[in-house]
Amino acid sequence: MNAFWHKLKYTLQEDLNSLMDKSQKKENPLELLNQYFLEAQKQTAEIGKLLERQGRLKEELEAECQEANSMAIKRRRQLELAEVAGDAELIAFAQEEVEAYEGRVARLSASIQDATQELLSLERKFEEMKHRVKDMRVRQLQLMGKENVTRAQEKMNRFVKPDSSFSTLDDLHSYIENLGGGTRSTQSHSSMEQRLDSLEKSNAKSQDIV
């Protein structure tokens, strides 16, 4: 039982406070909380099994006590019969048996009472522990939600502002139009230059002939 209490002593309350202190110093407290939550779930399951075992042990004590009490009743009845019969040997044996079983019943009754109180105390502690784990789960969900919102906002901000050069979609549209117009202007200009060059060459040939 001392070992069991030692295990409970270092459960969630102090550890959760320590976790919150560490979380404030970490860039990503969610990762630390996830690890601790998994450990808390594992520990809770282990302690739950110990409590179930403690309950079964208490039931076994109760069964032993009931059996001892039944035998004590039986031996007292047999002692009365032996006393009526006047059989000294049976009387002595029955008296020893009655004392043995009644002593066992007394010891078992005391053990059952202690076990009942201990089990109730452990169950209260265990319920408190489960509440702590549930609070931790709520905190985990809260942090996951905040992290998710932050990531979504970052992605949306990158989409809404694709380039600092274009403050609006109209600016981007104008840039593309101008880019296309500039290309057409360059092509038209090149064509006119070719025609002028051709005209100049034709004129030069005419002067040579004259």
Side-chain angles (χ1 to χ4, degrees), residues 75-205:
R75 289 294 186 254
R76 281 197 296 270
R77 186 174 61 252
Q78 291 174 339
L79 175 59
E80 293 175 357
L81 294 174
E83 288 174 342
V84 171
D87 190 324
E89 188 175 5
L90 286 179
I91 291 173
F93 175 76
Q95 286 177 336
E96 292 175 358
E97 287 283 288
V98 168
E99 292 175 1
Y101 282 117
E102 287 181 345
R104 186 176 300 169
V105 168
R107 292 190 298 273
L108 286 170
S109 296
S111 296
I112 291 169
Q113 185 176 0
D114 291 341
T116 299
Q117 294 300 320
E118 290 170 347
L119 184 58
L120 289 174
S121 178
L122 291 177
E123 286 175 344
R124 285 195 297 269
K125 290 280 188 180
F126 187 58
E127 289 302 317
E128 180 182 352
M129 183 177 181
K130 289 192 293 185
H131 283 300
R132 297 284 181 180
V133 174
K134 180 61 70 174
D135 290 340
M136 194 184 305
R137 175 57 177 168
V138 171
R139 182 59 175 160
Q140 182 188 41
L141 292 174
Q142 290 173 338
L143 289 177
M144 289 173 65
K146 290 182 179 180
E147 183 185 47
N148 191 61
V149 168
T150 300
R151 290 183 177 181
Q153 288 177 339
E154 290 177 354
K155 291 182 181 294
M156 287 188 291
N157 289 339
R158 287 197 296 269
F159 178 80
V160 172
K161 298 180 180 179
D163 194 323
S164 60
S165 302
F166 312 115
S167 58
T168 65
L169 291 177
D170 291 338
D171 293 339
L172 181 59
H173 179 74
S174 299
Y175 174 81
I176 294 174
E177 287 294 325
N178 292 334
L179 182 63
T183 303
R184 289 193 297 271
S185 177
T186 301
Q187 291 175 346
S188 177
H189 180 68
S190 298
S191 175
M192 294 299 291
E193 285 183 345
Q194 290 175 0
R195 291 176 62 187
L196 286 174
D197 289 340
S198 177
L199 179 61
E200 184 180 10
K201 289 179 181 179
S202 298
N203 185 57
K205 288 181 180 181

